[in-house]
Amino acid sequence: MAAMASSSALTLLVLTLTAAAAAAAPATASSTPPPFSCGPSSAESSEGYAFCDAALSPAARAADLVSRLTPAEKAAQLGDQAPGVPRLGVPAYKWWNEALHGLATSGRGLHFDAPAGVRAATSFPQVLLAAAAFDDDLWFRIGQAIGREARALFNVGQAEGLTIWSPNVNIFRDPRWGRGQETPGEDPAVASRYAVAFVRGLQGNNTSLLQTSACCKHATAYDLEDWDGVARYSFVARVTAQDLEDTFNPPFRSCVVDGKASCVMCAYTAVNGVPSCANADLLTATVRGGWGLDGYVAADCDAVAIMRDAQRYAPSPEDAVAVSLKAGLDIDCGSYVQQHATAAIQEGKLAEQDVDRALTNLFAVRMRLGHFDGDPRANVYGALGAADICAPEHRSLALEAAQDGIVLLKNDGGMLPLDRTAVASAAAIGPNADDGAALIANYFGPPCESVTPLKGLRSYVGDVRFLAGCTNSAACDVAATDQAVAVAGSADYVFLFMGLSQRQESEGKDRTSLLLPGMQQRLVAAVAGAAKRPVILVLLSGGPVDVSFAQSDPKVGAILWAGYPGQAGGLAIARVLFGDHNPGGRLPVTWYPEEFTKVPMTDMRMRADPATGYPGRSYRFYQGDTVYKFGYGLSYSTFSRRLMSSTNKTTFSSTTVLDALSSRETTLTEEEEGSASSYYHVDDIGTDGCEQLKFPATVEVKNHGPMDGKHSALMFLRWPNTEGGRPARQLIGFRSRHLKVGETASLRFDISPCEHFSRVREDGRKVIDTGSHFLMVDDHEMEIKFEA
Ligand SMILES: *[C@@H]1O[C@H](CO)[C@@H](O)[C@H](O)[C@H]1NC(C)=O
Ligand SMILES: *[C@@H]1O[C@H](CO)[C@@H](O)[C@H](O)[C@H]1NC(C)=O
Ligand SMILES: *[C@@H]1O[C@H](CO)[C@@H](O)[C@H](O)[C@H]1NC(C)=O
């Protein structure tokens, strides 16, 4: 999130130790009551004011409250730590709370230090691993569980706010990005579906009372921490209209339009010279106007201050405050706006109406959270309490999510799954074998439990010899390698738990290499050379790692990617290794080779530029070699997929499209003079027209055994060529299903040509080409034609 949120490696470790020590202590019911307004027992009576009248709309109530504030009181509300207004019975409020993959202490409002209170919360897998499940029902249930735990923590008086600054739905554009782990990956369709599912879960389904408020961050095109002297605070990203429209913005659009998120956070990034938090076109015209945000716009921490300091965009603090509030910002993370808003008004740079608009947006969200309706323990979420945090169903969901995300990358000769009765002894070697910090990654709170891979392995094998072999993921030494070789030679099976940690990839830190850090590669090779049979390599990492040495080494029999798997991660890994779970995860990002690091991280272009040797980014555009491709993942079973049309409609005649165009002017446009290609503008087809063009397609999936398991089918669209920046292919849908051995399922995909067949032109406009389009599942294709 933030300047202040960035934990150094040191604080991280200290926190982690505390976290590991904090067992889920049962909390007493009689904790401090949550703060509220407008009830007989609220601190100061506010009853009788219009803002307490639940019959009015949240906006009307908020406007009434704002009208009662003095200018000084108004300015004081514009930072993440908002003071109370005792004379009106309005309590203080903490806007900044984090729950990326479980309730986290990285914000200001959530607390786990009450001696007799709640001491821990469920830690789900880091987002990139959950994304690998390609399952939006799973993402919804995770969001829902986190939202329930937040409400419960609030009800017991340990949360000073219910506005949560999650999820992070930036596109994982470059494999080196330190925060790529926090995102759903490189594909805009996956990120969009993740945003919608997670936000719906977090906010709950009651439109008149939010369970919590979710915030999609960081709009937009933010995906660089610190690379070759370029830092996120001053980076000016050059982004094309085409990339903005079909890559960076779609997750934010879905988040607001379909997920109904009540907040969007603007990023530090200056896109084409304009800092995102000062960009009226983004915040007001697009997010609020075009997408219809009903909620507030928050600035990433210190994003306003850096407009003057790091970015030199605004000459004075007052100018920075004025330009951001006028652009549509509603609240700052930090105190900069609180400090300088009054002067900005006095200097005539900012109008009081701009402040009133911001405050009305802010208080309306607090109204929708039910904080102005009397004691919140009497509302529909009021029964949630300590017993709902670390609840058994949340713990098992954390395990399920980790299992479903784990990706099997290599399995020579069907070495896995292992038969536990055949494994008399095992060696667990590597820095990530017994490190609780590697489970919970970043943005964490104290987990309910911490099952490391070593612990998971020990629940299957009696004799497990453990050696970290490295001081940490960066530093393995030669002496340890000798020891590791000795341990490896003495065991039946050798498991290596290698990978990355927050030392290499984190907030504020990008990688410079894609290889395993330090001497890890050498350690793996030495151990593999000494082991009795091929070793099993388990990678704990966020971003992709170039492990081509292990891919091609016959002494490495199997490779698993387990992300940063959350509190139950070690058990999930063991269950996969021993066949109690059949792996079905698929990579949500392209695994590039080390040579990709010659591409400047600051080059934002998605599309390749063969003339200059620029290879492009993500499976949609990248033209170079890969270590593993997007969507790759093995199973213990063989699944077949068959693409079928459930209608016979494979040709859309011009009359169909023109019908869809209803009363509009005909809009068939010629690409350019002399060109055979032509297209329709999606805007011209309109909402109703787009509705008429929809049709279903079916993918028949069969599990040929030998194990039951979950499978995700991915459907892509291919265009006849990649001219004009058309992607090589584009994911348009995915569905997952658990299938018993021999079982067949028909998975229905709802195809919307406006959404799925459209492409974005260089000018940023969305069009549907006439001519052929190909639906793809594996290498089965179905041709769909739009006639001119
Ligand atoms: C909202 O979700 C809860 C829990 O999933 C469910 O019991 C309830 O029926 C839903 N309410 C509505 C209005 O959909
Ligand atoms: C939604 O919340 C409102 C306001 O608290 C409540 O009256 C209503 O019963 C809730 N609806 C459901 C389906 O829980
Ligand atoms: C598709 O065409 C086939 C053969 O012409 C016909 O038997 C089938 O009923 C059609 N299906 C639909 C959904 O119209």
Side-chain angles (χ1 to χ4, degrees):
M1 165 95 347
M4 330 172 217
S6 333
S7 342
S8 70
L10 200 65
T11 24
L12 189 85
L13 285 184
V14 173
L15 283 169
T16 309
L17 288 178
T18 332
T28 52
S30 60
S31 353
T32 333
F36 61 88
S37 199
C38 305
S41 54
S42 61
E44 301 283 331
S45 182
S46 38
E47 283 183 288
Y49 293 125
F51 68 77
C52 289
D53 182 353
L56 299 176
S57 72
R61 297 174 69 184
D64 175 70
L65 172 45
V66 172
S67 75
R68 296 173 194 278
L69 300 178
T70 67
E73 285 167 342
K74 288 180 182 177
Q77 293 297 315
L78 294 168
D80 67 279
Q81 304 195 68
V85 188
R87 67 184 179 84
L88 296 174
V90 175
Y93 188 76
K94 300 250 168 94
W95 286 90
W96 180 10
N97 304 291
E98 301 281 353
L100 179 66
H101 59 107
L103 302 186
T105 47
S106 344
R108 297 207 186 269
L110 308 185
H111 307 288
F112 294 93
D113 47 5
V118 173
R119 307 280 287 169
T122 311
S123 175
F124 295 93
Q126 179 62 302
V127 176
L128 194 65
L129 185 70
F134 284 87
D135 180 348
D136 32 20
D137 177 59
L138 178 75
W139 304 332
F140 171 80
R141 287 185 289 131
I142 293 172
Q144 196 179 38
I146 296 172
R148 289 171 66 88
E149 293 200 357
R151 254 300 158 179
L153 198 69
F154 179 78
N155 288 343
V156 302
Q158 289 178 231
E160 297 175 86
L162 280 174
T163 38
I164 291 174
W165 291 352
S166 309
N168 179 345
V169 293
N170 288 118
I171 293 298
F172 193 171
R173 172 186 62 92
D174 189 290
R176 290 162 285 189
W177 186 30
R179 302 186 71 180
Q181 57 178 312
E182 297 175 25
T183 75
E186 74 184 21
D187 181 69
V190 176
S192 295
R193 297 245 315 244
Y194 181 85
V196 173
F198 185 82
V199 167
R200 284 186 181 159
L202 210 57
Q203 294 197 152
N205 58 6
N206 187 321
T207 49
S208 57
L209 188 65
L210 294 168
Q211 177 170 249
T212 70
S213 157
C215 192
C216 286
K217 68 191 186 187
H218 316 75
T220 186
Y222 163 59
D223 49 32
L224 175 145
E225 300 301 298
D226 191 351
W227 179 84
D228 196 28
V230 180
R232 57 180 177 160
Y233 303 120
S234 50
F235 177 46
V236 179
R238 297 282 156 210
V239 186
T240 67
Q242 194 175 29
D243 287 342
L244 208 54
E245 199 56 43
D246 77 359
T247 300
F248 298 111
N249 282 350
F252 294 99
R253 182 182 192 281
S254 300
C255 191
V256 172
V257 174
D258 304 315
K260 307 273 180 242
S262 45
C263 167
V264 166
M265 177 179 286
C266 48
Y268 300 122
T269 326
V271 176
N272 301 328
V274 184
S276 296
C277 294
N279 188 340
D281 192 41
L282 174 69
L283 303 184
T284 299
T286 304
V287 173
R288 201 170 283 283
W291 301 343
L293 173 71
D294 178 14
Y296 69 105
V297 176
D300 201 345
C301 296
D302 295 333
V304 179
I306 64 167
M307 283 179 202
R308 191 196 64 140
D309 302 334
Q311 297 177 328
R312 312 212 173 278
Y313 180 80
S316 71
E318 294 76 23
D319 289 306
V321 167
V323 74
S324 29
L325 284 174
K326 288 198 307 208
L329 183 75
D330 297 315
I331 197 170
D332 183 25
C333 174
S335 58
Y336 200 74
V337 173
Q338 287 165 318
Q339 284 170 36
H340 300 292
T342 304
I345 291 173
Q346 283 163 356
E347 291 170 24
K349 291 175 172 165
L350 181 64
E352 199 169 340
Q353 293 93 297
D354 290 313
V355 172
D356 289 354
R357 179 223 69 222
L359 294 184
T360 307
N361 289 335
L362 292 170
F363 278 111
V365 169
R366 288 177 67 179
M367 302 281 169
R368 289 167 66 199
L369 284 165
H371 295 169
F372 288 82
D373 297 328
D375 192 336
R377 290 169 301 181
N379 71 26
V380 289
Y381 305 112
L384 293 170
D388 296 286
I389 305 177
C390 293
E393 58 274 25
H394 294 178
R395 292 171 182 237
S396 54
L397 182 59
L399 175 63
E400 177 189 341
Q403 287 180 164
D404 283 3
I406 289 173
V407 182
L408 180 62
L409 295 171
K410 177 179 181 180
N411 193 16
D412 276 359
M415 174 177 191
L416 297 179
L418 300 170
D419 172 2
R420 66 196 293 178
T421 61
V423 185
S425 66
I429 297 170
N432 284 337
D434 197 31
D435 183 1
L439 301 179
I440 56 180
N442 68 357
Y443 286 93
F444 54 81
C448 322
E449 60 187 332
S450 181
V451 186
T452 62
L454 178 62
K455 203 166 166 187
L457 210 50
R458 285 192 165 141
S459 65
Y460 280 84
V461 181
D463 177 7
V464 183
R465 295 150 214 185
F466 162 62
L467 186 78
C470 310
T471 312
N472 58 56
S473 59
C476 306
D477 59 50
V478 180
T481 305
D482 295 341
Q483 259 181 295
V485 162
V487 172
S490 73
D492 276 352
Y493 282 85
V494 177
F495 302 87
L496 285 147
F497 296 97
M498 315 302 281
L500 308 175
S501 74
Q502 304 299 310
R503 280 189 177 78
Q504 288 86 33
E505 50 173 358
S506 60
E507 181 156 5
K509 188 173 216 147
D510 296 317
R511 278 186 292 163
T512 51
S513 166
L514 299 179
L515 299 173
L516 283 175
M519 306 245 294
Q520 287 195 43
Q521 190 165 319
R522 209 187 288 187
L523 182 70
V524 173
V527 166
K532 289 180 189 165
R533 46 170 69 80
V535 299
I536 292 147
L537 174 61
V538 180
L539 299 166
L540 275 75
S541 76
V545 188
D546 178 351
V547 288
S548 31
F549 79 98
Q551 195 180 32
S552 59
D553 184 348
K555 296 192 190 106
V556 177
I559 308 176
L560 234 58
W561 176 70
Y564 295 121
Q567 65 178 38
L571 183 56
I573 292 167
R575 286 175 52 83
V576 168
L577 293 172
F578 290 94
D580 282 331
H581 182 84
N582 188 354
R586 308 179 70 159
L587 294 177
V589 285
T590 303
W591 283 36
Y592 303 87
E594 173 70 357
E595 69 165 3
F596 188 87
T597 57
K598 69 175 196 288
V599 173
M601 203 176 159
T602 44
D603 194 327
M604 298 293 291
R605 288 175 300 166
M606 295 302 296
R607 272 102 179 150
D609 181 8
T612 58
Y614 183 70
R617 297 171 180 279
S618 89
Y619 77 91
R620 294 158 65 222
F621 305 107
Y622 174 65
Q623 298 181 344
D625 294 333
T626 55
V627 178
Y628 291 109
K629 291 187 189 316
F630 173 87
Y632 180 78
L634 305 171
S635 165
Y636 296 149
S637 287
T638 306
F639 288 90
S640 60
R641 293 162 293 268
R642 214 152 58 100
L643 175 60
M644 334 236 287
S645 175
S646 42
T647 69
N648 288 337
K649 188 177 189 179
T650 51
T651 299
F652 290 84
S653 66
S654 52
T655 24
T656 325
V657 180
L658 291 177
D659 275 356
L661 290 170
S662 60
S663 62
R664 291 159 194 265
E665 300 284 294
T666 175
T667 52
L668 185 63
T669 309
E670 298 293 328
E671 180 85 78
E672 56 207 25
E673 246 167 283
S675 158
S677 65
S678 52
Y679 51 78
Y680 298 99
H681 281 283
V682 171
D683 281 349
D684 293 337
I685 299 176
T687 316
D688 293 345
C690 286
E691 205 55 44
Q692 285 174 39
L693 293 176
K694 287 183 177 174
F695 67 97
T698 302
V699 177
E700 207 175 80
V701 183
K702 181 166 186 188
N703 183 352
H704 299 272
M707 280 180 67
D708 298 350
K710 195 173 147 188
H711 185 74
S712 299
L714 273 47
M715 186 181 288
F716 292 88
L717 188 82
R718 180 174 76 76
W719 286 262
N721 62 62
T722 57
E723 284 159 23
R726 291 174 182 84
R729 60 202 172 100
Q730 169 63 59
L731 184 70
I732 59 170
F734 50 88
R735 295 219 32 207
S736 67
R737 181 70 69 82
H738 188 275
L739 292 170
K740 292 198 176 352
V741 174
E743 192 180 346
T744 302
S746 290
L747 305 181
R748 182 188 156 111
F749 288 73
D750 294 312
I751 310 292
S752 166
C754 288
E755 188 186 340
H756 300 135
F757 290 15
S758 58
R759 65 176 176 97
V760 171
R761 283 167 41 88
E762 282 168 16
D763 62 7
R765 295 195 63 187
K766 230 182 215 188
V767 299
I768 300 181
D769 293 325
T770 57
S772 296
H773 298 73
F774 302 89
L775 288 181
M776 298 172 70
V777 171
D778 306 321
D779 43 16
H780 309 282
E781 292 196 344
M782 185 193 293
E783 185 176 6
I784 311 277
K785 270 192 185 154
F786 281 82
E787 290 179 346

